[in-house]
Amino acid sequence: MADALSDLGAHIAKKAGDALDGYNIAYGELNIEARAGQIVELMTFLRDDPECRFISFIDVCGVDYPDRQERFDVVYHLLSPARNTRIRVRVTTDEETPVPSITGVFPGADWFEREAYDLYGILFSGHHDLRRILTDYGFDGHPLR
């Protein structure tokens, strides 16, 4: 399995080019380090490329590392039923720089991007309805920071 994941990582790195900062295999899954500004193009490639076919969007979540300059990770999980393989894609951002929304590629990301915004304050550009989803509209702050 590790060889297949390594081959897939090499294929993605070759085809996606500068959209990636690197990849590794951990816990039996392929992990992609991506550039936030090219996340839409990368997600489209992962969905449409015949070698990948990551057509099943699982989720998007935020992770906060307050001591880092780019304190947030935005982590995407995808599944390729054709390959029976999961992939994790990670981008980093700060409190002010929005990550492009992937709702045009995976409409199911809508709720998850809103959740990351509400709970962490992670901004998503191009999201059609980026507003609170779990806390009250009058709530001040982001509870998971």
Side-chain angles (χ1 to χ4, degrees):
M1 182 68 168
D3 289 341
L5 291 177
S6 183
D7 291 346
L8 180 60
H11 170 75
I12 294 168
K14 179 181 177 184
K15 297 287 186 173
D18 64 351
L20 291 162
D21 283 331
Y23 69 93
N24 64 59
I25 298 166
Y27 306 107
E29 291 184 7
L30 180 59
N31 298 286
I32 303 289
E33 304 294 326
R35 296 193 176 143
Q38 295 174 296
I39 192 64
V40 173
E41 294 84 357
L42 178 62
M43 290 297 191
T44 303
F45 167 78
L46 292 172
R47 182 193 65 195
D48 297 344
D49 182 75
E51 295 295 316
C52 297
R53 296 191 283 174
F54 287 97
I55 62 169
S56 184
F57 169 80
I58 305 299
D59 70 2
V60 176
C61 62
V63 183
D64 186 11
Y65 297 96
D67 294 332
R68 288 191 335 202
Q69 185 173 357
E70 287 191 321
R71 71 183 284 177
F72 299 116
D73 283 357
V74 180
V75 183
Y76 305 86
H77 296 99
L78 305 174
L79 170 68
S80 173
R83 295 184 62 91
N84 192 25
T85 303
R86 293 179 183 270
I87 191 171
R88 181 178 298 114
V89 180
R90 182 177 74 97
V91 301
T92 60
T93 191
D94 58 28
E95 296 172 5
E96 298 172 2
T97 307
V99 174
S101 173
I102 65 162
T103 56
V105 181
F106 292 109
D110 181 7
W111 190 91
F112 295 100
E113 288 181 356
R114 285 182 60 192
E115 181 182 49
Y117 163 71
D118 188 7
L119 298 179
Y120 291 101
I122 298 171
L123 301 171
F124 293 92
S125 62
H127 191 284
H128 66 96
D129 190 22
L130 193 62
R131 61 187 164 98
R132 293 192 179 274
I133 194 167
L134 296 172
T135 60
D136 189 278
Y137 293 121
F139 186 83
D140 187 27
H142 304 283
L144 293 183
R145 275 193 181 184

